[in-house]
């Protein structure tokens, strides 16, 4: 193959301006905060996009320690949306992002529809922000978050309220902690979502048998990492079959082969989370791996592979 394969993907085809990424490899929310320090250890400008930590109207301290426990092939976390709040994000983080080539998507969280709308409205017109990811799927907060992600009507209401409050593309991030994820996906698509990302973490817990109590300060947490990949892949497959908007696959991705699986299952792009903690260069490694797969199979456009396993 003479030319380099084309890795570009369109994340928001029904948005007037669209959201084209140079490649499908994104960093998932909550893994590298606002990516300032992360930018010092890896060339994030080469990635498709990054998603920052879930951001609320006011700063949040998060849950009691301990907040992280390793499990077989996975990680349980109960960070509880600790974040600096939207005003500090606008004042301190967005000016840095404005100088970056890589698009930054802000993960917006809240306890009520009004809070999601207030955070999103504040982000309107702020340089350095390319999109909104609506977190209706956080399992680690006592109110809001996941409540919106498990009820199709609430999920639709928060999506349309946020869409009305922004000119940016809106990605809605779904929870796997539901009976039928297709129902929620269809509801947010109908409500105007430009894309859907999935999955957030699966609810889980661990017990310290010596102390005879739960390992996490919050008792319950969210499971991520390689252990959840088959579940995430299945859910992406399920959702991609029924929606027309792009699906962003996330959950347990740890190598280029995993990314290709998600793309073949119908994902237009992917987000990498937990595996970045053990290999900060993983995004770039994965990009190289995808490119070499395409060359080896003489595929000019990555988009040719999207959903190929659905047929
Ligand atoms: C420590 C930690 C913090 C997270 N914080 C957020 C968050 O603020 N907002 C969000 O939407 N997802 C958050 N997530 C979920 C991830 O973005 C991702 O959906 C999930 O971990 C599955 O992907 P992975 O297996 O590649 O980590 C967090 C995950 C972890 C491990």
């Amino acid at each position: 193959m003479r030319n380099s394969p084309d890795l570009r993907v369109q994340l928001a085809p029904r948005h007037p301006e669209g959201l084209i990424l140079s490649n499908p490899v994104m960093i998932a929310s909550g893994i590298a905060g606002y990516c300032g320090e992360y930018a010092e250890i890896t060339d994030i400008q080469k990635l498709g996009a990054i998603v920052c930590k879930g951001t609320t109207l006011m700063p949040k301290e998060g849950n009691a320690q301990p907040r992280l426990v390793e499990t077989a092939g996975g990680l349980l976390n109960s960070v509880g949306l600790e974040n600096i709040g939207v005003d500090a994000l606008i004042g301190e983080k967005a000016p840095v992002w404005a100088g970056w080539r890589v698009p930054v998507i802000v993960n917006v969280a809240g306890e009520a529809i009004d809070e999601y709308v207030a955070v999103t409205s504040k982000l309107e017109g702020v340089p350095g922000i390319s999109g909104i990811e609506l977190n209706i799927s956080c399992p680690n907060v006592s109110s809001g978050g996941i409540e919106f992600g498990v009820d199709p009507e609430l999920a639709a209401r928060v999506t349309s309220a946020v869409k009305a409050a922004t000119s940016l593309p809106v990605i809605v991030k779904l929870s796997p902690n539901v009976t039928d994820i297709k129902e929620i996906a269809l509801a947010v698509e109908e409500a105007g979502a430009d894309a859907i990302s999935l999955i957030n973490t699966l609810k889980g817990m661990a017990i310290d048998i010596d102390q005879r109590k739960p390992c996490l300060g919050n008792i319950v947490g969210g499971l991520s990492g390689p252990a959840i990949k088959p579940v995430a892949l299945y859910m992406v497959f399920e959702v991609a079959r029924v929606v027309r908007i792009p699906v962003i696959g996330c959950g347990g991705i740890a190598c280029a082969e995993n990314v290709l699986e998600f793309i073949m299952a119908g994902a237009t792009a992917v987000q990498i989370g937990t595996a970045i903690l053990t290999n900060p260069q993983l995004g770039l490694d994965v990009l190289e791996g995808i490119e070499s797969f395409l060359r080896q199979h003489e595929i000019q456009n990555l988009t040719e592979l999207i959903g190929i396993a659905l047929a």
Side-chain angles (χ1 to χ4, degrees):
M1 186 186 285
R2 257 187 276 130
N3 301 327
S4 295
D6 188 349
L7 299 183
R8 284 172 304 169
V9 292
Q10 169 61 272
L11 272 197
R14 66 183 195 181
H15 185 272
E17 272 107 61
L19 179 55
I20 294 175
L21 310 188
S22 62
N23 65 72
V25 181
M26 304 168 67
I27 301 298
S29 175
I31 302 303
Y34 303 91
C35 285
E37 288 100 354
Y38 189 49
E40 289 167 19
I41 55 169
T42 191
D43 188 357
I44 58 168
Q45 309 303 337
K46 290 191 176 144
L47 298 172
I50 58 175
V51 188
C52 78
K53 177 67 195 163
T55 301
T56 48
L57 193 55
M58 303 304 290
K60 256 176 103 85
E61 282 186 2
N63 290 329
Q65 299 283 358
R67 294 168 167 187
L68 295 177
V69 186
E70 264 189 74
T71 61
L75 176 71
L76 266 177
N77 94 82
S78 63
V79 172
L81 287 179
E82 175 181 347
N83 77 95
I84 59 173
V86 67
D87 290 333
L89 180 148
I90 293 168
E92 297 161 23
K93 307 299 177 187
V96 178
W97 299 339
W100 290 358
R101 192 177 70 219
V102 62
V104 178
I105 291 163
V106 176
N107 184 275
V108 172
E111 291 186 2
I113 291 181
D114 287 353
E115 184 175 359
Y116 282 100
V117 169
V119 175
T120 306
S121 306
K122 280 184 178 248
L123 298 171
E124 185 63 8
V126 176
I129 299 170
S130 298
I132 302 288
E133 182 178 67
L134 209 52
N135 177 1
I136 57 166
S137 46
C138 182
N140 297 323
V141 285
S142 54
S143 52
I146 201 167
E147 286 163 24
F148 292 96
V150 297
D151 178 335
E153 209 183 301
L154 270 182
R157 272 176 47 205
V158 69
T159 303
S160 57
V162 165
K163 272 296 286 181
T166 183
S167 60
L168 291 169
V170 174
I171 300 161
V172 181
K173 183 163 179 183
L174 303 188
S175 169
N177 301 300
V178 293
T179 312
D180 183 3
I181 199 163
K182 298 192 294 302
E183 208 188 353
I184 315 281
L186 286 166
V188 302
E189 177 183 51
E190 171 78 27
D194 293 293
I196 291 173
S197 53
L198 70 148
I199 57 175
N200 207 316
T201 53
L202 284 147
K203 276 193 176 187
M205 71 181 294
I207 302 229
D208 180 330
I209 56 168
D210 294 318
Q211 303 232 24
R212 301 178 184 193
K213 57 179 201 182
C215 297
L216 293 170
N218 188 51
I219 304 175
V220 174
L223 183 65
S224 61
I228 71 168
K229 199 206 80 189
V231 178
L233 190 64
Y234 164 69
M235 289 191 162
V236 164
F237 178 76
E238 284 276 280
V239 168
R241 283 207 291 204
V242 297
V243 298
R244 278 185 236 129
I245 52 177
V247 172
I248 303 166
C250 177
I253 292 173
C255 58
E257 289 76 13
N258 294 166
V259 172
L260 289 161
E261 278 188 86
F262 274 88
I263 287 172
M264 291 183 188
T268 296
V270 294
Q271 295 180 356
I272 309 180
T274 304
I276 294 284
L277 300 174
T278 42
N279 175 11
Q281 308 299 336
L282 184 63
L284 303 181
D285 293 351
V286 154
L287 259 180
E288 246 183 68
I290 300 172
E291 203 167 320
S292 100
F293 180 89
L294 295 180
R295 281 181 192 282
Q296 193 190 334
H297 295 272
E298 301 194 337
I299 298 166
Q300 187 56 49
N301 282 293
L302 175 80
T303 51
E304 288 171 38
L305 293 180
I306 297 175
I308 206 159
L310 292 177

